[in-house]
Amino acid sequence: MSPPLNARQPPRSFRDRWAAMRNVPPFLRLVWRAGPGLTLATLALRLCRALIPVATLYVGKLIVDEVVRLIALPDGPATIGGWWDAGLASGLGWLLAAEFALAIAQDGLSRLIGLVDSLLSERLTNGLSVRLMDHAATLDLKEFEDAVFQDKLDRARRQTAFRMTLLGQLLNQIESVVTILSFAGGLVAYHPWLVVLLILTLIPAFLGEAHFNARTYSLDYGRTPERREMDYVRQVAASADTAKEVKIFGLHRFLTDRYMTLARAFYAQNRRVAVDRAAWGALFAALGTLGYYAAYVWIVAQTLTGALSLGDLTFLAGSFQRLRTLMETLLTSFGQTAAQAMYLDDLFGFFRVRPDIVSPPDPRPVPRPLAQGFRFENVGFRYPGSDRWAVRHLTFDLHAGETLALVGENGAGKTTLVKLLARLYDPDEGRILLDGRDLRDYDLDGLRATMGVIFQDFVRFNLTAGDNIAVGRIDARDDAARIRAAADRAMAAPVIERLPAGYGQMIGKRFANGVELSGGEWQKIAIARAYMRDAQVLILDEPTAALDARSEYEVFQRFKDLSAGRTAVLISHRFSSVRMADRILVLADGRVEAQGTHAELLARPGRYRELFELQAEGYR
């Protein structure tokens, strides 16, 4: 069973915030899997670069001490050439060359690290995106129809793109730790209390940064629904799909006002956090500066008394300043890493969601061909979070090779019945049998593969015309003859042949050179998907809603011929379509109210005859 989607609240206590660091090891494992060679390369390069700052500073100390020694020599040469000819400046020359080599090496390493990190980041982004899509494909339909899950999915989707910041932080922290240890070793060699003083002055800044990062995350976590609404409003206000109604109904001002209402609330909350962070940050920075100058005064005093050389002064002052900056950055980065790790909770929390509808441990293969068909036995189902039964006490048979039509008013349970038949949901009561065995005993992928389902709210993919049909059986995408045959069966071939690039034409307006189709043309493309699937069971849920009367008649005549010998379920509000079914079920309030042929149902009083006469009256 999946954990409750709203079980986790944003962390509040300091302990809760740091508990999120448990996400770092699994994240690093993801990095390693994304590119072991690249990971080793960036670590090795960073280790080399981490030692360059202390080496450069120490060479600088030696240069200062050598210059002081040379200046103190009696009767020193008056020119640079003189110093060199006398052999007095050769040591200084080698030191200057060493410092130059270190500078060149640091620049070269930085460029290599940037290259390796960019490649590693891209591979990690791609790997996380694929894993998210793969995992989403395993989850139940109920999750995607739940607003809380949509918030969770939205946060997880954003993490696949934005966790590159965390990768850079972790790699920089590893490098900074090595550099800090090298500088700290130099300070400890002189006086250990310098390092202690430094740490004490940086702790407040670290705790403050951790606190404000947690506040920022809590705000982001709590505002996910509003952020999704902002994205939705922005899309509606500037989208080809909605442009006509936005203009006709004058919705522009309403949408921009709604967007600005949400944006102002976001701005006010962000402003409060930013002001508090700036004020406390200034205080903490002042403490760090105070610690640095206390140490600097001590180093200068020791130099004046002769306990330290001028080179030692340069090295210690530079080391303390660099160490302070590095430790301040590192501690702040640790706080930011904890914040980033909290965001990782969104990603790993999504991966922890598990489907309820799965294949059994030892699934039965779906029979080919179907022998008996389907049987609903006292089936009851409620959508998650609803107290209302969508269907209840539902009992009927769908015989193998039979065409069954479902008729009823909106909300009668027709589409719910189809979702249960395709096992997009499982019943809360009763059971559904296929050839005498519970539907849950069969392999789930095999069960769905045997069905061709076209819902009334089918997806209009922004793909080529050929691919829009091929999605019905995507593993046959390269079978052009099959795609053309499916288009011909659905009467979509003339539509496609009129397109500039035929089956290779991009349809939909999302991408350049895309051609938009009418609702009826899209519907024919969608019906072709069902024929592309070549399934044992065909399910058409309002498949001709956007077609004119002549096209609808032709489609159903073709459907009747092509579905011969197959099991078919047809949902339609048009009685001219359902009358060709072998049997008609009349649904009301989630139950079977009546069943029979078109003639039988018209012959007796009831809902079917009433609806038929109402529809017929509209055509007179």
Side-chain angles (χ1 to χ4, degrees), residues 23-354:
N23 292 319
V24 172
F27 176 75
L28 291 177
R29 286 194 291 271
L30 291 175
V31 173
W32 175 260
R33 285 197 292 268
L38 292 172
T39 304
L40 289 175
T42 191
L43 290 174
L45 291 170
R46 287 173 180 276
L47 178 61
C48 294
R49 189 174 68 173
L51 297 174
I52 288 180
V54 69
T56 301
L57 201 57
Y58 188 74
V59 170
K61 161 199 155 36
L62 297 178
I63 290 173
V64 171
D65 283 343
E66 182 65 7
V67 169
V68 171
R69 185 186 70 81
L70 293 176
I71 291 174
L73 292 176
D75 301 324
T79 64
I80 296 297
W83 283 98
W84 193 261
D85 292 338
L88 297 174
S90 59
L92 183 61
W94 283 111
L95 290 173
L96 290 171
E99 191 171 66
F100 175 74
L102 288 171
I104 294 296
Q106 185 168 30
D107 181 68
L109 287 170
S110 295
R111 294 181 185 278
L112 283 174
I113 289 169
L115 171 62
V116 173
D117 284 1
S118 66
L119 296 176
L120 183 59
S121 294
E122 186 168 353
R123 293 190 67 170
L124 179 60
T125 298
N126 293 339
L128 284 175
S129 297
V130 169
R131 184 178 174 188
L132 183 140
M133 290 187 288
D134 285 344
H135 187 67
T138 69
L139 300 182
D140 299 333
L141 179 63
K142 69 177 181 181
E143 312 288 14
F144 294 93
E145 295 180 342
D146 179 76
V148 175
F149 176 82
Q150 286 296 325
D151 291 340
K152 193 180 195 76
L153 177 60
D154 183 67
R155 288 192 296 266
R157 188 184 293 117
R158 284 186 285 114
Q159 302 324 308
T160 62
F162 298 138
R163 289 314 99 208
M164 299 310 98
T165 304
L166 176 59
L167 175 59
Q169 284 178 347
L170 291 171
L171 293 174
N172 288 334
Q173 285 169 8
I174 294 171
E175 181 178 350
S176 295
V177 166
V178 175
T179 305
I180 285 170
L181 291 175
S182 63
F183 274 124
L187 289 180
V188 168
Y190 285 91
H191 282 283
W193 74 267
L194 292 173
V195 178
V196 175
L197 174 64
L198 185 62
I199 292 173
L200 290 176
T201 58
L202 291 177
I203 287 176
F206 165 65
L207 295 177
E209 190 68 21
H211 168 74
F212 287 111
N213 283 332
R215 277 184 63 183
T216 300
Y217 172 74
S218 295
L219 280 177
D220 285 346
Y221 184 98
R223 296 184 302 194
T224 303
E226 289 81 3
R227 184 185 294 106
R228 285 205 302 124
E229 184 179 354
M230 285 182 70
D231 291 340
Y232 174 73
V233 170
R234 183 165 44 209
Q235 181 180 0
V236 169
S239 169
D241 296 333
T242 58
K244 295 190 294 295
E245 295 196 22
V246 168
K247 290 180 179 296
I248 289 174
F249 296 131
L251 300 179
H252 169 71
R253 182 51 54 196
F254 164 74
L255 293 171
T256 53
D257 287 348
R258 179 57 186 160
Y259 182 88
M260 286 306 301
T261 298
L262 294 167
R264 289 190 188 101
F266 277 24
Y267 174 79
Q269 293 172 330
N270 289 336
R271 182 177 179 275
R272 284 195 295 271
V273 175
V275 169
D276 290 346
R277 186 193 290 265
W280 284 101
L283 176 61
F284 297 146
L287 289 176
T289 302
L290 178 64
Y292 166 71
Y293 277 99
Y296 189 62
V297 168
W298 179 86
I299 294 169
V300 170
Q302 292 296 303
T303 305
L304 289 175
T305 60
L308 298 174
S309 69
L310 194 58
D312 292 334
L313 169 65
T314 304
F315 178 75
L316 286 175
S319 293
F320 195 89
Q321 174 63 23
R322 293 290 299 276
L323 192 57
R324 175 203 169 193
T325 302
L326 281 169
M327 290 186 68
E328 189 175 54
T329 302
L330 182 64
L331 291 177
T332 299
S333 180
F334 275 139
Q336 292 172 347
T337 299
Q340 298 285 348
M342 288 188 285
Y343 285 101
L344 278 175
D345 262 348
D346 300 324
L347 183 63
F348 292 133
F350 172 76
F351 288 143
R352 286 192 291 269
V353 178
R354 291 290 179 265

Side-chain angles (χ1 to χ4, degrees), residues 511-571:
F511 303 111
N513 302 319
V515 174
E516 189 56 89
L517 303 180
S518 69
E521 290 170 334
W522 268 113
Q523 204 128 26
K524 291 178 180 179
I525 295 286
I527 294 171
R529 295 172 191 164
Y531 291 125
M532 178 71 185
R533 199 161 184 79
D534 195 24
Q536 292 194 86
V537 181
L538 288 174
I539 302 174
L540 302 184
D541 183 358
E542 289 289 338
T544 59
L547 299 181
D548 57 63
R550 180 183 297 275
S551 296
E552 178 196 40
Y553 177 79
E554 293 172 349
V555 165
F556 274 108
Q557 282 298 116
R558 185 72 62 89
F559 173 73
K560 183 175 178 63
D561 296 338
L562 294 172
S563 62
R566 305 187 192 204
T567 307
V569 176
L570 172 63
I571 300 176

Side-chain angles (χ1 to χ4, degrees), residues 436-447:
R437 298 295 299 258
D438 195 303
L439 216 57
R440 286 169 281 207
D441 293 339
Y442 292 101
D443 176 69
L444 183 60
D445 291 336
L447 176 67

